[in-house]
Tab-separated table of all heavy atoms in Angstrom:
chain	number	residue	atom	x	y	z
A	1	MET	N	-100.498	2.669	-110.004
A	1	MET	CA	-100.157	1.707	-109.005
A	1	MET	C	-101.418	1.390	-108.184
A	1	MET	O	-102.081	2.323	-107.737
A	1	MET	CB	-99.015	2.237	-108.104
A	1	MET	CG	-98.567	1.265	-107.065
A	1	MET	SD	-97.192	1.868	-105.990
A	1	MET	CE	-95.848	1.910	-107.125
A	2	THR	N	-101.700	0.123	-107.968
A	2	THR	CA	-102.883	-0.235	-107.159
A	2	THR	C	-102.603	0.007	-105.729
A	2	THR	O	-101.446	0.173	-105.243
A	2	THR	CB	-103.239	-1.740	-107.376
A	2	THR	OG1	-102.197	-2.535	-106.797
A	2	THR	CG2	-103.409	-2.083	-108.846
A	3	LYS	N	-103.688	-0.014	-104.922
A	3	LYS	CA	-103.536	0.141	-103.481
A	3	LYS	C	-102.679	-0.971	-102.887
A	3	LYS	O	-101.824	-0.700	-102.036
A	3	LYS	CB	-104.945	0.137	-102.819
A	3	LYS	CG	-104.929	0.470	-101.348
A	3	LYS	CD	-106.303	0.325	-100.738
A	3	LYS	CE	-106.987	1.645	-100.791
A	3	LYS	NZ	-108.232	1.669	-99.988
A	4	LEU	N	-102.884	-2.191	-103.387
A	4	LEU	CA	-102.122	-3.331	-102.893
A	4	LEU	C	-100.607	-3.159	-103.213
A	4	LEU	O	-99.768	-3.390	-102.388
A	4	LEU	CB	-102.624	-4.645	-103.487
A	4	LEU	CG	-101.834	-5.888	-103.056
A	4	LEU	CD1	-101.793	-6.064	-101.563
A	4	LEU	CD2	-102.433	-7.128	-103.704
A	5	GLU	N	-100.331	-2.681	-104.407
A	5	GLU	CA	-98.941	-2.458	-104.794
A	5	GLU	C	-98.316	-1.393	-103.896
A	5	GLU	O	-97.126	-1.491	-103.481
A	5	GLU	CB	-98.808	-2.077	-106.264
A	5	GLU	CG	-99.133	-3.225	-107.195
A	5	GLU	CD	-99.288	-2.791	-108.662
A	5	GLU	OE1	-99.667	-1.601	-108.908
A	5	GLU	OE2	-98.994	-3.625	-109.554
A	6	GLN	N	-99.071	-0.349	-103.563
A	6	GLN	CA	-98.602	0.723	-102.676
A	6	GLN	C	-98.302	0.152	-101.290
A	6	GLN	O	-97.287	0.486	-100.683
A	6	GLN	CB	-99.631	1.825	-102.604
A	6	GLN	CG	-99.785	2.648	-103.864
A	6	GLN	CD	-100.952	3.608	-103.786
A	6	GLN	OE1	-101.739	3.595	-102.833
A	6	GLN	NE2	-101.085	4.478	-104.778
A	7	ILE	N	-99.193	-0.684	-100.786
A	7	ILE	CA	-98.993	-1.315	-99.488
A	7	ILE	C	-97.726	-2.183	-99.526
A	7	ILE	O	-96.915	-2.126	-98.587
A	7	ILE	CB	-100.220	-2.093	-99.053
A	7	ILE	CG1	-101.398	-1.138	-98.804
A	7	ILE	CG2	-99.925	-2.948	-97.816
A	7	ILE	CD1	-102.720	-1.814	-98.662
A	8	GLU	N	-97.615	-3.024	-100.533
A	8	GLU	CA	-96.426	-3.893	-100.671
A	8	GLU	C	-95.145	-3.071	-100.672
A	8	GLU	O	-94.167	-3.415	-99.988
A	8	GLU	CB	-96.545	-4.748	-101.913
A	8	GLU	CG	-97.604	-5.839	-101.805
A	8	GLU	CD	-97.820	-6.554	-103.149
A	8	GLU	OE1	-97.391	-6.057	-104.203
A	8	GLU	OE2	-98.425	-7.619	-103.095
A	9	LYS	N	-95.132	-2.005	-101.418
A	9	LYS	CA	-93.973	-1.150	-101.487
A	9	LYS	C	-93.664	-0.527	-100.121
A	9	LYS	O	-92.487	-0.515	-99.736
A	9	LYS	CB	-94.171	-0.038	-102.559
A	9	LYS	CG	-92.982	0.868	-102.795
A	9	LYS	CD	-93.294	1.869	-103.863
A	9	LYS	CE	-92.120	2.747	-104.237
A	9	LYS	NZ	-91.531	3.503	-103.151
A	10	SER	N	-94.667	-0.038	-99.451
A	10	SER	CA	-94.472	0.566	-98.158
A	10	SER	C	-93.973	-0.433	-97.130
A	10	SER	O	-93.071	-0.143	-96.330
A	10	SER	CB	-95.776	1.187	-97.661
A	10	SER	OG	-96.163	2.261	-98.444
A	11	VAL	N	-94.524	-1.650	-97.130
A	11	VAL	CA	-94.074	-2.683	-96.194
A	11	VAL	C	-92.628	-3.069	-96.471
A	11	VAL	O	-91.845	-3.234	-95.570
A	11	VAL	CB	-94.986	-3.917	-96.257
A	11	VAL	CG1	-94.422	-5.067	-95.475
A	11	VAL	CG2	-96.390	-3.526	-95.719
A	12	ALA	N	-92.277	-3.192	-97.765
A	12	ALA	CA	-90.926	-3.534	-98.139
A	12	ALA	C	-89.880	-2.502	-97.651
A	12	ALA	O	-88.717	-2.806	-97.463
A	12	ALA	CB	-90.808	-3.729	-99.640
A	13	GLU	N	-90.336	-1.255	-97.464
A	13	GLU	CA	-89.442	-0.181	-97.078
A	13	GLU	C	-89.353	0.012	-95.559
A	13	GLU	O	-88.620	0.870	-95.063
A	13	GLU	CB	-89.893	1.121	-97.727
A	13	GLU	CG	-89.751	1.122	-99.238
A	13	GLU	CD	-90.336	2.282	-99.917
A	13	GLU	OE1	-91.035	3.121	-99.236
A	13	GLU	OE2	-90.154	2.432	-101.143
A	14	LEU	N	-90.095	-0.779	-94.783
A	14	LEU	CA	-90.052	-0.655	-93.338
A	14	LEU	C	-88.700	-1.069	-92.748
A	14	LEU	O	-88.052	-1.989	-93.284
A	14	LEU	CB	-91.164	-1.470	-92.695
A	14	LEU	CG	-92.596	-1.075	-92.993
A	14	LEU	CD1	-93.572	-2.112	-92.398
A	14	LEU	CD2	-92.915	0.315	-92.484
A	15	SER	N	-88.320	-0.461	-91.691
A	15	SER	CA	-87.116	-0.911	-90.957
A	15	SER	C	-87.440	-2.252	-90.277
A	15	SER	O	-88.604	-2.608	-90.148
A	15	SER	CB	-86.765	0.141	-89.884
A	15	SER	OG	-87.677	0.121	-88.810
A	16	PRO	N	-86.425	-2.948	-89.836
A	16	PRO	CA	-86.681	-4.222	-89.147
A	16	PRO	C	-87.620	-4.069	-87.948
A	16	PRO	O	-88.518	-4.904	-87.764
A	16	PRO	CB	-85.277	-4.692	-88.726
A	16	PRO	CG	-84.380	-4.122	-89.790
A	16	PRO	CD	-85.007	-2.803	-90.084
A	17	ASP	N	-87.430	-3.008	-87.156
A	17	ASP	CA	-88.323	-2.793	-85.997
A	17	ASP	C	-89.725	-2.475	-86.449
A	17	ASP	O	-90.710	-2.955	-85.817
A	17	ASP	CB	-87.759	-1.712	-85.106
A	17	ASP	CG	-86.546	-2.126	-84.299
A	17	ASP	OD1	-86.320	-3.350	-84.153
A	17	ASP	OD2	-85.845	-1.249	-83.833
A	18	GLU	N	-89.878	-1.657	-87.432
A	18	GLU	CA	-91.203	-1.320	-87.942
A	18	GLU	C	-91.869	-2.537	-88.543
A	18	GLU	O	-93.082	-2.739	-88.370
A	18	GLU	CB	-91.082	-0.216	-89.005
A	18	GLU	CG	-90.706	1.127	-88.489
A	18	GLU	CD	-90.392	2.118	-89.584
A	18	GLU	OE1	-89.843	1.734	-90.656
A	18	GLU	OE2	-90.726	3.313	-89.399
A	19	LEU	N	-91.128	-3.376	-89.255
A	19	LEU	CA	-91.683	-4.595	-89.840
A	19	LEU	C	-92.142	-5.530	-88.749
A	19	LEU	O	-93.213	-6.135	-88.900
A	19	LEU	CB	-90.645	-5.283	-90.738
A	19	LEU	CG	-91.116	-6.519	-91.482
A	19	LEU	CD1	-92.325	-6.145	-92.379
A	19	LEU	CD2	-90.031	-7.099	-92.316
A	20	LYS	N	-91.415	-5.660	-87.666
A	20	LYS	CA	-91.805	-6.493	-86.571
A	20	LYS	C	-93.131	-5.972	-85.975
A	20	LYS	O	-94.049	-6.749	-85.699
A	20	LYS	CB	-90.731	-6.541	-85.497
A	20	LYS	CG	-91.026	-7.470	-84.382
A	20	LYS	CD	-89.900	-7.543	-83.390
A	20	LYS	CE	-90.236	-8.480	-82.233
A	20	LYS	NZ	-89.144	-8.560	-81.250
A	21	ALA	N	-93.212	-4.667	-85.723
A	21	ALA	CA	-94.436	-4.100	-85.171
A	21	ALA	C	-95.603	-4.254	-86.136
A	21	ALA	O	-96.735	-4.579	-85.733
A	21	ALA	CB	-94.233	-2.592	-84.902
A	22	PHE	N	-95.375	-4.110	-87.433
A	22	PHE	CA	-96.389	-4.320	-88.435
A	22	PHE	C	-96.878	-5.773	-88.382
A	22	PHE	O	-98.094	-6.028	-88.450
A	22	PHE	CB	-95.898	-3.966	-89.842
A	22	PHE	CG	-96.885	-4.324	-90.918
A	22	PHE	CD1	-97.988	-3.535	-91.136
A	22	PHE	CD2	-96.713	-5.447	-91.692
A	22	PHE	CE1	-98.918	-3.861	-92.154
A	22	PHE	CE2	-97.617	-5.781	-92.664
A	22	PHE	CZ	-98.720	-4.979	-92.880
A	23	ALA	N	-95.937	-6.709	-88.317
A	23	ALA	CA	-96.299	-8.133	-88.307
A	23	ALA	C	-97.186	-8.461	-87.081
A	23	ALA	O	-98.173	-9.230	-87.214
A	23	ALA	CB	-95.022	-8.977	-88.322
A	24	VAL	N	-96.834	-7.899	-85.907
A	24	VAL	CA	-97.640	-8.122	-84.712
A	24	VAL	C	-99.053	-7.555	-84.914
A	24	VAL	O	-100.031	-8.239	-84.610
A	24	VAL	CB	-96.943	-7.459	-83.472
A	24	VAL	CG1	-97.886	-7.461	-82.288
A	24	VAL	CG2	-95.650	-8.222	-83.174
A	25	TRP	N	-99.115	-6.362	-85.472
A	25	TRP	CA	-100.418	-5.731	-85.700
A	25	TRP	C	-101.241	-6.544	-86.727
A	25	TRP	O	-102.428	-6.818	-86.501
A	25	TRP	CB	-100.241	-4.303	-86.243
A	25	TRP	CG	-101.527	-3.738	-86.737
A	25	TRP	CD1	-102.507	-3.172	-85.994
A	25	TRP	CD2	-102.009	-3.731	-88.129
A	25	TRP	NE1	-103.563	-2.770	-86.835
A	25	TRP	CE2	-103.267	-3.100	-88.117
A	25	TRP	CE3	-101.462	-4.182	-89.308
A	25	TRP	CZ2	-104.004	-2.958	-89.277
A	25	TRP	CZ3	-102.200	-4.011	-90.451
A	25	TRP	CH2	-103.424	-3.390	-90.432
A	26	PHE	N	-100.580	-6.986	-87.810
A	26	PHE	CA	-101.305	-7.688	-88.833
A	26	PHE	C	-101.788	-9.058	-88.336
A	26	PHE	O	-102.919	-9.473	-88.654
A	26	PHE	CB	-100.425	-7.861	-90.090
A	26	PHE	CG	-101.142	-8.369	-91.263
A	26	PHE	CD1	-102.072	-7.555	-91.954
A	26	PHE	CD2	-100.946	-9.674	-91.747
A	26	PHE	CE1	-102.777	-8.064	-93.049
A	26	PHE	CE2	-101.649	-10.116	-92.858
A	26	PHE	CZ	-102.570	-9.338	-93.504
A	27	GLU	N	-100.987	-9.720	-87.551
A	27	GLU	CA	-101.389	-11.007	-86.986
A	27	GLU	C	-102.639	-10.826	-86.069
A	27	GLU	O	-103.562	-11.627	-86.118
A	27	GLU	CB	-100.263	-11.655	-86.171
A	27	GLU	CG	-100.570	-13.042	-85.675
A	27	GLU	CD	-99.406	-13.687	-84.955
A	27	GLU	OE1	-98.272	-13.297	-85.162
A	27	GLU	OE2	-99.688	-14.619	-84.234
A	28	ALA	N	-102.619	-9.774	-85.272
A	28	ALA	CA	-103.782	-9.484	-84.414
A	28	ALA	C	-105.036	-9.171	-85.281
A	28	ALA	O	-106.155	-9.594	-84.938
A	28	ALA	CB	-103.472	-8.325	-83.467
A	29	LEU	N	-104.823	-8.416	-86.345
A	29	LEU	CA	-105.950	-8.139	-87.260
A	29	LEU	C	-106.538	-9.421	-87.851
A	29	LEU	O	-107.769	-9.596	-87.861
A	29	LEU	CB	-105.489	-7.198	-88.364
A	29	LEU	CG	-106.501	-6.907	-89.482
A	29	LEU	CD1	-107.689	-6.104	-88.940
A	29	LEU	CD2	-105.835	-6.165	-90.598
A	30	GLN	N	-105.650	-10.287	-88.316
A	30	GLN	CA	-106.133	-11.535	-88.896
A	30	GLN	C	-106.899	-12.408	-87.866
A	30	GLN	O	-107.913	-12.977	-88.170
A	30	GLN	CB	-104.995	-12.344	-89.490
A	30	GLN	CG	-104.414	-11.768	-90.738
A	30	GLN	CD	-103.251	-12.582	-91.306
A	30	GLN	OE1	-102.273	-12.813	-90.609
A	30	GLN	NE2	-103.431	-13.043	-92.502
A	31	ALA	N	-106.359	-12.424	-86.641
A	31	ALA	CA	-107.015	-13.189	-85.583
A	31	ALA	C	-108.409	-12.599	-85.294
A	31	ALA	O	-109.363	-13.387	-85.103
A	31	ALA	CB	-106.147	-13.198	-84.342
A	32	ASP	N	-108.499	-11.301	-85.218
A	32	ASP	CA	-109.806	-10.648	-84.976
A	32	ASP	C	-110.800	-10.959	-86.088
A	32	ASP	O	-111.963	-11.247	-85.862
A	32	ASP	CB	-109.611	-9.143	-84.833
A	32	ASP	CG	-110.892	-8.433	-84.437
A	32	ASP	OD1	-111.546	-8.841	-83.452
A	32	ASP	OD2	-111.239	-7.421	-85.105
A	33	LEU	N	-110.336	-10.857	-87.339
A	33	LEU	CA	-111.198	-11.155	-88.479
A	33	LEU	C	-111.659	-12.634	-88.458
A	33	LEU	O	-112.818	-12.924	-88.735
A	33	LEU	CB	-110.509	-10.864	-89.807
A	33	LEU	CG	-110.186	-9.385	-90.054
A	33	LEU	CD1	-109.355	-9.219	-91.294
A	33	LEU	CD2	-111.506	-8.578	-90.184
A	34	TRP	N	-110.760	-13.523	-88.085
A	34	TRP	CA	-111.071	-14.953	-87.984
A	34	TRP	C	-112.141	-15.151	-86.890
A	34	TRP	O	-113.139	-15.883	-87.103
A	34	TRP	CB	-109.844	-15.736	-87.669
A	34	TRP	CG	-110.103	-17.204	-87.398
A	34	TRP	CD1	-110.154	-17.815	-86.193
A	34	TRP	CD2	-110.315	-18.233	-88.385
A	34	TRP	NE1	-110.398	-19.161	-86.327
A	34	TRP	CE2	-110.501	-19.445	-87.686
A	34	TRP	CE3	-110.370	-18.268	-89.751
A	34	TRP	CZ2	-110.762	-20.634	-88.311
A	34	TRP	CZ3	-110.607	-19.462	-90.399
A	34	TRP	CH2	-110.794	-20.616	-89.674
A	35	ASP	N	-111.951	-14.543	-85.771
A	35	ASP	CA	-112.944	-14.670	-84.676
A	35	ASP	C	-114.304	-14.177	-85.097
A	35	ASP	O	-115.323	-14.841	-84.812
A	35	ASP	CB	-112.502	-13.863	-83.440
A	35	ASP	CG	-111.296	-14.479	-82.721
A	35	ASP	OD1	-110.942	-15.652	-83.002
A	35	ASP	OD2	-110.687	-13.761	-81.882
A	36	LYS	N	-114.348	-13.055	-85.812
A	36	LYS	CA	-115.643	-12.517	-86.269
A	36	LYS	C	-116.294	-13.457	-87.284
A	36	LYS	O	-117.499	-13.622	-87.252
A	36	LYS	CB	-115.418	-11.131	-86.910
A	36	LYS	CG	-115.151	-10.084	-85.837
A	36	LYS	CD	-114.908	-8.721	-86.472
A	36	LYS	CE	-114.594	-7.691	-85.354
A	36	LYS	NZ	-114.225	-6.411	-85.897
A	37	GLN	N	-115.486	-14.095	-88.126
A	37	GLN	CA	-116.049	-15.065	-89.146
A	37	GLN	C	-116.622	-16.288	-88.440
A	37	GLN	O	-117.690	-16.736	-88.770
A	37	GLN	CB	-114.960	-15.411	-90.133
A	37	GLN	CG	-115.504	-16.348	-91.232
A	37	GLN	CD	-116.584	-15.706	-92.105
A	37	GLN	OE1	-116.350	-14.620	-92.599
A	37	GLN	NE2	-117.732	-16.324	-92.198
A	38	ILE	N	-115.864	-16.790	-87.463
A	38	ILE	CA	-116.335	-17.959	-86.722
A	38	ILE	C	-117.639	-17.615	-85.995
A	38	ILE	O	-118.585	-18.432	-85.983
A	38	ILE	CB	-115.264	-18.462	-85.709
A	38	ILE	CG1	-114.066	-19.106	-86.489
A	38	ILE	CG2	-115.838	-19.464	-84.731
A	38	ILE	CD1	-114.380	-20.358	-87.199
A	39	GLU	N	-117.670	-16.443	-85.373
A	39	GLU	CA	-118.895	-16.035	-84.675
A	39	GLU	C	-120.060	-15.919	-85.611
A	39	GLU	O	-121.203	-16.411	-85.343
A	39	GLU	CB	-118.658	-14.704	-83.977
A	39	GLU	CG	-119.806	-14.236	-83.111
A	39	GLU	CD	-119.508	-12.936	-82.403
A	39	GLU	OE1	-118.344	-12.665	-82.073
A	39	GLU	OE2	-120.483	-12.189	-82.094
A	40	ALA	N	-119.852	-15.326	-86.804
A	40	ALA	CA	-120.928	-15.222	-87.783
A	40	ALA	C	-121.364	-16.615	-88.282
A	40	ALA	O	-122.569	-16.844	-88.432
A	40	ALA	CB	-120.462	-14.351	-88.970
A	41	ASP	N	-120.397	-17.468	-88.543
A	41	ASP	CA	-120.763	-18.845	-88.956
A	41	ASP	C	-121.557	-19.576	-87.887
A	41	ASP	O	-122.529	-20.263	-88.187
A	41	ASP	CB	-119.490	-19.620	-89.307
A	41	ASP	CG	-118.817	-19.198	-90.601
A	41	ASP	OD1	-119.465	-18.402	-91.367
A	41	ASP	OD2	-117.689	-19.560	-90.821
A	42	ALA	N	-121.151	-19.396	-86.611
A	42	ALA	CA	-121.878	-20.054	-85.542
A	42	ALA	C	-123.310	-19.525	-85.445
A	42	ALA	O	-124.250	-20.349	-85.320
A	42	ALA	CB	-121.156	-19.891	-84.223
A	43	LYS	N	-123.466	-18.198	-85.496
A	43	LYS	CA	-124.810	-17.598	-85.406
A	43	LYS	C	-125.689	-18.037	-86.551
A	43	LYS	O	-126.881	-18.180	-86.399
A	43	LYS	CB	-124.691	-16.086	-85.347
A	43	LYS	CG	-124.250	-15.566	-84.016
A	43	LYS	CD	-124.175	-14.054	-84.044
A	43	LYS	CE	-123.702	-13.557	-82.664
A	43	LYS	NZ	-123.590	-12.061	-82.678
A	44	ALA	N	-125.058	-18.277	-87.713
A	44	ALA	CA	-125.844	-18.662	-88.913
A	44	ALA	C	-126.088	-20.146	-88.999
A	44	ALA	O	-126.763	-20.636	-89.869
A	44	ALA	CB	-125.093	-18.247	-90.177
A	45	GLY	N	-125.575	-20.908	-87.985
A	45	GLY	CA	-125.781	-22.345	-87.936
A	45	GLY	C	-124.917	-23.160	-88.836
A	45	GLY	O	-125.095	-24.359	-88.993
A	46	ARG	N	-123.917	-22.541	-89.461
A	46	ARG	CA	-123.025	-23.288	-90.344
A	46	ARG	C	-122.082	-24.248	-89.622
A	46	ARG	O	-121.494	-25.096	-90.278
A	46	ARG	CB	-122.197	-22.300	-91.161
A	46	ARG	CG	-123.042	-21.614	-92.247
A	46	ARG	CD	-122.207	-20.766	-93.195
A	46	ARG	NE	-121.758	-19.532	-92.657
A	46	ARG	CZ	-122.459	-18.402	-92.707
A	46	ARG	NH1	-123.656	-18.335	-93.310
A	46	ARG	NH2	-121.986	-17.272	-92.176
A	47	LEU	N	-122.020	-24.184	-88.297
A	47	LEU	CA	-121.113	-25.065	-87.528
A	47	LEU	C	-121.925	-26.164	-86.798
A	47	LEU	O	-121.356	-27.032	-86.203
A	47	LEU	CB	-120.277	-24.269	-86.543
A	47	LEU	CG	-119.390	-23.215	-87.133
A	47	LEU	CD1	-118.659	-22.445	-86.057
A	47	LEU	CD2	-118.399	-23.767	-88.136
A	48	ASP	N	-123.231	-26.089	-86.908
A	48	ASP	CA	-124.088	-27.001	-86.169
A	48	ASP	C	-123.804	-28.465	-86.526
A	48	ASP	O	-123.722	-29.314	-85.643
A	48	ASP	CB	-125.577	-26.711	-86.420
A	48	ASP	CG	-125.999	-25.389	-85.804
A	48	ASP	OD1	-125.200	-24.739	-85.053
A	48	ASP	OD2	-127.165	-24.946	-86.059
A	49	LYS	N	-123.674	-28.752	-87.818
A	49	LYS	CA	-123.467	-30.132	-88.201
A	49	LYS	C	-122.119	-30.659	-87.673
A	49	LYS	O	-122.080	-31.801	-87.219
A	49	LYS	CB	-123.438	-30.217	-89.716
A	49	LYS	CG	-123.465	-31.644	-90.283
A	49	LYS	CD	-123.627	-31.617	-91.801
A	49	LYS	CE	-123.667	-33.030	-92.315
A	49	LYS	NZ	-123.903	-33.112	-93.745
A	50	LEU	N	-121.089	-29.805	-87.658
A	50	LEU	CA	-119.787	-30.236	-87.104
A	50	LEU	C	-119.934	-30.483	-85.597
A	50	LEU	O	-119.355	-31.462	-85.076
A	50	LEU	CB	-118.726	-29.170	-87.403
A	50	LEU	CG	-118.344	-28.989	-88.827
A	50	LEU	CD1	-117.446	-27.758	-88.995
A	50	LEU	CD2	-117.642	-30.213	-89.362
A	51	ALA	N	-120.613	-29.612	-84.894
A	51	ALA	CA	-120.776	-29.781	-83.467
A	51	ALA	C	-121.584	-31.069	-83.158
A	51	ALA	O	-121.184	-31.801	-82.234
A	51	ALA	CB	-121.504	-28.558	-82.872
A	52	GLU	N	-122.607	-31.315	-83.900
A	52	GLU	CA	-123.404	-32.520	-83.687
A	52	GLU	C	-122.573	-33.759	-83.921
A	52	GLU	O	-122.675	-34.737	-83.179
A	52	GLU	CB	-124.608	-32.503	-84.630
A	52	GLU	CG	-125.665	-31.473	-84.241
A	52	GLU	CD	-126.739	-31.290	-85.297
A	52	GLU	OE1	-126.863	-32.136	-86.238
A	52	GLU	OE2	-127.483	-30.306	-85.215
A	53	GLN	N	-121.735	-33.748	-84.951
A	53	GLN	CA	-120.898	-34.912	-85.250
A	53	GLN	C	-119.884	-35.135	-84.164
A	53	GLN	O	-119.611	-36.251	-83.703
A	53	GLN	CB	-120.141	-34.724	-86.584
A	53	GLN	CG	-119.301	-35.917	-86.961
A	53	GLN	CD	-120.078	-37.206	-87.113
A	53	GLN	OE1	-121.113	-37.238	-87.825
A	53	GLN	NE2	-119.662	-38.298	-86.496
A	54	ALA	N	-119.289	-34.024	-83.627
A	54	ALA	CA	-118.291	-34.126	-82.538
A	54	ALA	C	-118.929	-34.699	-81.292
A	54	ALA	O	-118.345	-35.593	-80.613
A	54	ALA	CB	-117.690	-32.760	-82.249
A	55	LEU	N	-120.146	-34.254	-80.943
A	55	LEU	CA	-120.822	-34.774	-79.783
A	55	LEU	C	-121.214	-36.248	-79.977
A	55	LEU	O	-121.098	-37.038	-79.040
A	55	LEU	CB	-122.077	-33.928	-79.502
A	55	LEU	CG	-121.805	-32.542	-78.968
A	55	LEU	CD1	-123.095	-31.714	-78.927
A	55	LEU	CD2	-121.156	-32.566	-77.616
A	56	ALA	N	-121.644	-36.588	-81.159
A	56	ALA	CA	-121.978	-37.991	-81.439
A	56	ALA	C	-120.737	-38.878	-81.331
A	56	ALA	O	-120.771	-39.967	-80.744
A	56	ALA	CB	-122.582	-38.176	-82.832
A	57	ASP	N	-119.607	-38.429	-81.810
A	57	ASP	CA	-118.324	-39.174	-81.685
A	57	ASP	C	-117.976	-39.328	-80.215
A	57	ASP	O	-117.552	-40.403	-79.795
A	57	ASP	CB	-117.211	-38.470	-82.431
A	57	ASP	CG	-117.309	-38.618	-83.972
A	57	ASP	OD1	-118.062	-39.470	-84.449
A	57	ASP	OD2	-116.652	-37.840	-84.657
A	58	HIS	N	-118.165	-38.292	-79.467
A	58	HIS	CA	-117.804	-38.359	-78.026
A	58	HIS	C	-118.723	-39.352	-77.313
A	58	HIS	O	-118.227	-40.185	-76.536
A	58	HIS	CB	-117.922	-36.994	-77.394
A	58	HIS	CG	-117.534	-36.972	-75.939
A	58	HIS	ND1	-116.253	-37.166	-75.548
A	58	HIS	CD2	-118.276	-36.786	-74.833
A	58	HIS	CE1	-116.195	-37.090	-74.247
A	58	HIS	NE2	-117.429	-36.880	-73.766
A	59	ARG	N	-120.021	-39.250	-77.573
A	59	ARG	CA	-120.948	-40.154	-76.938
A	59	ARG	C	-120.662	-41.616	-77.320
A	59	ARG	O	-120.843	-42.561	-76.555
A	59	ARG	CB	-122.377	-39.795	-77.288
A	59	ARG	CG	-122.895	-38.589	-76.584
A	59	ARG	CD	-124.415	-38.381	-76.796
A	59	ARG	NE	-124.714	-38.012	-78.156
A	59	ARG	CZ	-124.809	-36.765	-78.607
A	59	ARG	NH1	-124.536	-35.743	-77.812
A	59	ARG	NH2	-125.108	-36.528	-79.852
A	60	ALA	N	-120.147	-41.832	-78.543
A	60	ALA	CA	-119.845	-43.170	-79.019
A	60	ALA	C	-118.503	-43.678	-78.589
A	60	ALA	O	-118.089	-44.783	-78.939
A	60	ALA	CB	-119.932	-43.193	-80.541
A	61	GLY	N	-117.809	-42.855	-77.779
A	61	GLY	CA	-116.524	-43.281	-77.255
A	61	GLY	C	-115.378	-43.149	-78.218
A	61	GLY	O	-114.319	-43.785	-78.062
A	62	ARG	N	-115.508	-42.343	-79.243
A	62	ARG	CA	-114.452	-42.218	-80.258
A	62	ARG	C	-113.563	-41.008	-80.005
A	62	ARG	O	-112.945	-40.484	-80.882
A	62	ARG	CB	-115.085	-42.093	-81.667
A	62	ARG	CG	-115.771	-43.394	-82.127
A	62	ARG	CD	-116.185	-43.325	-83.549
A	62	ARG	NE	-117.279	-42.389	-83.785
A	62	ARG	CZ	-118.578	-42.722	-83.807
A	62	ARG	NH1	-118.961	-43.953	-83.630
A	62	ARG	NH2	-119.506	-41.767	-84.073
A	63	THR	N	-113.555	-40.543	-78.740
A	63	THR	CA	-112.677	-39.450	-78.367
A	63	THR	C	-111.745	-39.895	-77.242
A	63	THR	O	-111.930	-40.967	-76.679
A	63	THR	CB	-113.477	-38.240	-77.858
A	63	THR	OG1	-114.264	-38.620	-76.728
A	63	THR	CG2	-114.420	-37.719	-78.966
A	64	ARG	N	-110.744	-39.083	-76.999
A	64	ARG	CA	-109.830	-39.422	-75.890
A	64	ARG	C	-109.480	-38.109	-75.151
A	64	ARG	O	-109.538	-37.003	-75.730
A	64	ARG	CB	-108.537	-40.072	-76.398
A	64	ARG	CG	-107.788	-39.275	-77.458
A	64	ARG	CD	-106.618	-40.121	-78.003
A	64	ARG	NE	-106.122	-39.544	-79.196
A	64	ARG	CZ	-105.152	-38.664	-79.270
A	64	ARG	NH1	-104.538	-38.282	-78.195
A	64	ARG	NH2	-104.717	-38.193	-80.446
A	65	PRO	N	-109.136	-38.221	-73.875
A	65	PRO	CA	-108.809	-37.021	-73.104
A	65	PRO	C	-107.572	-36.325	-73.688
A	65	PRO	O	-106.681	-36.950	-74.245
A	65	PRO	CB	-108.444	-37.535	-71.719
A	65	PRO	CG	-109.065	-38.934	-71.681
A	65	PRO	CD	-109.075	-39.438	-73.088
A	66	LEU	N	-107.577	-34.990	-73.572
A	66	LEU	CA	-106.422	-34.263	-74.051
A	66	LEU	C	-105.281	-34.335	-73.092
A	66	LEU	O	-105.381	-34.405	-71.957
A	66	LEU	CB	-106.810	-32.756	-74.256
A	66	LEU	CG	-107.825	-32.535	-75.361
A	66	LEU	CD1	-108.230	-31.054	-75.390
A	66	LEU	CD2	-107.293	-32.912	-76.708
């Protein structure tokens, strides 16, 4: 049995309260990983082109207030 299969089996056996707690933890983990990826992308300059385009659109009046 692979590690993933073991995890799937364990998660499937959780009680409803345990599953809820696991879901909260897993969502926080995913959010943290996403934040780290965005930070790494920003530091590497991979978001620069998107930022430049957004600023150009704003300067050209192609945006609206939220």
Side-chain angles (χ1 to χ4, degrees):
M1 183 180 290
T2 68
K3 186 184 269 190
L4 178 57
E5 290 169 333
Q6 291 172 351
I7 292 168
E8 289 172 343
K9 183 179 184 303
S10 294
V11 170
E13 294 172 353
L14 294 174
S15 71
D17 286 341
E18 290 172 324
L19 184 58
K20 184 177 180 180
F22 173 77
V24 169
W25 170 81
F26 190 70
E27 185 176 340
L29 175 66
Q30 287 181 303
D32 185 52
L33 293 173
W34 174 259
D35 289 346
K36 288 178 182 175
Q37 183 63 54
I38 290 293
E39 185 177 331
D41 288 347
K43 285 181 181 178
R46 288 188 282 273
L47 302 177
D48 292 353
K49 189 173 181 177
L50 292 172
E52 290 169 14
Q53 182 61 49
L55 290 171
D57 286 344
H58 182 69
R59 285 190 291 270
R62 292 188 292 264
T63 59
R64 56 186 165 93
L66 295 176

